Amino acid sequence: MKALAFDKNGIENLKFTDYKDPEIGNHEVLIRVKLAGVNPVDYYTVERLKTNPIPHIPGVEFSGEVAKVGDHVKSVSVGDRVTIYGRIFDGSCDMCMAGYETVCRNGGRIGVDANGGWAEYIAVEEKYVFKLPNEYTWEMGSSLTVAALTAYHALKEAELRPSQTLVIFGASGNTGMFLVQLGKKFGAKVIAVSRKSWLREYGADFVVDYNEVEEKVKEITNAKMADVVVNSLGEQLWDKSFSVVGIRGKLVTFGTLLGGNVKVDLSQLYSKHISILGVNRGNRKDFVELLDICKDCKVKTWKIFKLEEGKQALKELFSKERDGRIFLSP
């Protein structure tokens, strides 16, 4: 089969090449990839993460059709449209038994610790494979594993409630567009911090510029400020995101695209009873719930590249012109 693979870190080493066809065991599913997302995780995978196997095929988000099933597979059949839960888990550690497969003590990630979906085919254990409802496009199916699941899990962990105010930094990004849509499903008042007006079409009640976020949040909330703030970008926006958290508010973080080292004003933290939450994708229960509730969610697609253009797709991920998601089509 054809695949994008590398034998050592560095985008310059990512090559469109022939790769051995995957074989499936009794409990595995062979998926013909229809579309794969391009995610910052993929960039880090190619650039610097330790991966397995080598040569390695990246691609943490993808969807496709079942091409073949192992003898003991019961949940899907040949021809089914499917997506995947992308966290590798053993099911037996204390975290898994508590329902937190996303932080399995012996776990990993499909696309990092096992081959990913930047190929024509991929073999995946049945426990990671889920039917994709007909309402979902391939773009949605290839956004659920990381972008949408992280957003949903973040809002659940923050215990976002109806009528609360949610402020989203990075609202037009891969995860941000789902935070906006899911925030409305949770019943919150959603303030998207962005210059992209199309976020109103995705459910944002207000779209405010980074330069005026403190003033606008204060005005919108009558000085109460936000109940939940999500900063998916990191260091450069940390002070601004921290400044708009209200009393007993929560600041949720899961990304470091703009740096990972921050300073925290402890006097503000304890005097306002602020909670800081770190989240990492979500568990399988979250994923099943997401598949049910996000059937009317939308994905803004910027570009779909051919699989052989993967190197260019990764570079475009950080383009100032990018306005929506990037995908790869085998």
Side-chain angles (χ1 to χ4, degrees):
M1 69 174 182
K2 291 293 186 181
L4 280 167
F6 61 92
D7 53 12
K8 59 182 178 180
N9 290 121
I11 290 180
E12 68 277 6
N13 299 312
L14 184 66
K15 294 180 173 59
F16 182 65
T17 185
D18 290 312
Y19 200 99
K20 182 181 178 182
D21 290 344
E23 299 177 357
I24 62 169
N26 288 334
H27 298 278
E28 292 183 311
V29 177
L30 184 66
I31 299 171
R32 180 185 295 109
V33 179
K34 298 292 288 187
L35 200 68
V38 178
N39 190 284
V41 176
D42 300 314
Y43 175 83
Y44 297 133
T45 299
V46 175
E47 275 290 281
R48 61 173 182 262
L49 294 182
K50 183 179 179 181
T51 58
N52 182 64
I54 293 292
H56 187 75
I57 301 172
V60 296
E61 294 182 290
F62 56 90
S63 56
E65 293 178 348
V66 175
K68 187 176 180 181
V69 297
D71 292 340
H72 296 166
V73 171
K74 303 296 183 185
S75 63
V76 296
S77 304
V78 172
D80 282 347
R81 303 168 78 247
V82 294
T83 184
I84 63 147
Y85 175 74
R87 293 294 304 196
I88 298 169
F89 61 93
D90 61 15
S92 59
C93 75
D94 57 336
M95 290 295 103
C96 286
M97 288 191 286
Y100 266 75
E101 301 95 340
T102 191
V103 285
C104 172
R105 295 190 186 277
N106 303 301
R109 292 169 285 183
I110 294 174
V112 181
D113 305 288
N115 275 335
W118 288 8
E120 292 179 310
Y121 293 91
I122 181 173
V124 182
E125 279 190 70
E126 180 185 13
K127 66 180 181 180
Y128 303 114
V129 181
F130 289 81
K131 287 184 180 179
L132 186 65
N134 290 331
E135 294 90 341
Y136 285 103
T137 62
W138 292 122
E139 286 89 346
M140 267 298 304
S142 301
S143 299
L144 294 166
T145 303
V146 179
L149 180 59
T150 303
Y152 183 59
H153 183 65
L155 299 183
K156 280 186 67 177
E157 287 287 287
E159 299 178 327
L160 183 68
R161 299 192 302 275
S163 82
Q164 289 190 325
T165 299
L166 169 67
V167 176
I168 303 162
F169 286 79
S172 64
N174 289 0
T175 305
M177 68 178 77
F178 288 104
L179 285 164
V180 170
Q181 296 174 83
L182 291 166
K184 292 307 298 178
K185 289 181 179 292
F186 275 67
K189 179 187 296 180
V190 176
I191 302 174
V193 186
S194 174
R195 298 185 179 94
K196 307 293 185 180
S197 60
W198 56 261
L199 286 164
R200 293 185 182 277
E201 300 170 21
Y202 282 61
D205 296 292
F206 303 91
V207 179
V208 304
D209 193 275
Y210 291 92
N211 297 324
E212 56 180 9
V213 60
E214 295 168 75
E215 174 189 337
K216 289 294 185 181
V217 172
K218 186 175 182 179
E219 176 186 319
I220 292 166
T221 63
N222 293 318
K224 290 182 178 179
M225 307 309 279
D227 298 288
V228 176
V229 177
V230 181
N231 178 345
S232 64
L233 296 171
E235 181 180 347
Q236 289 183 29
L237 294 171
W238 181 261
D239 290 342
K240 282 187 179 293
S241 60
F242 193 82
S243 72
V244 298
V245 183
I247 294 173
R248 297 191 67 203
K250 297 170 183 177
L251 175 55
V252 187
T253 182
F254 51 77
T256 57
L257 281 175
L258 299 181
N261 297 306
V262 302
K263 293 182 179 180
V264 178
D265 184 341
L266 293 178
S267 65
Q268 286 289 310
L269 183 73
Y270 64 69
S271 65
K272 293 170 67 175
H273 284 239
I274 292 172
S275 299
I276 298 176
L277 304 174
V279 300
N280 182 8
R281 296 204 199 181
N283 55 39
R284 283 187 298 164
K285 185 175 187 298
D286 294 334
F287 195 69
V288 171
E289 292 171 354
L290 182 67
L291 280 168
D292 185 51
I293 71 170
C294 215
K295 291 176 182 176
D296 59 347
C297 290
K298 300 185 292 184
V299 179
K300 184 172 179 59
T301 300
W302 184 52
K303 287 184 181 180
I304 298 178
F305 289 88
K306 295 179 181 178
L307 189 61
E308 55 264 38
E309 299 173 318
K311 192 179 297 186
Q312 183 62 32
L314 270 183
K315 292 177 180 178
E316 294 281 0
L317 190 61
F318 302 101
S319 169
K320 291 182 179 180
E321 283 72 45
R322 181 167 76 88
D323 191 18
R325 293 220 61 186
I326 298 173
F327 295 97
L328 290 175
S329 178

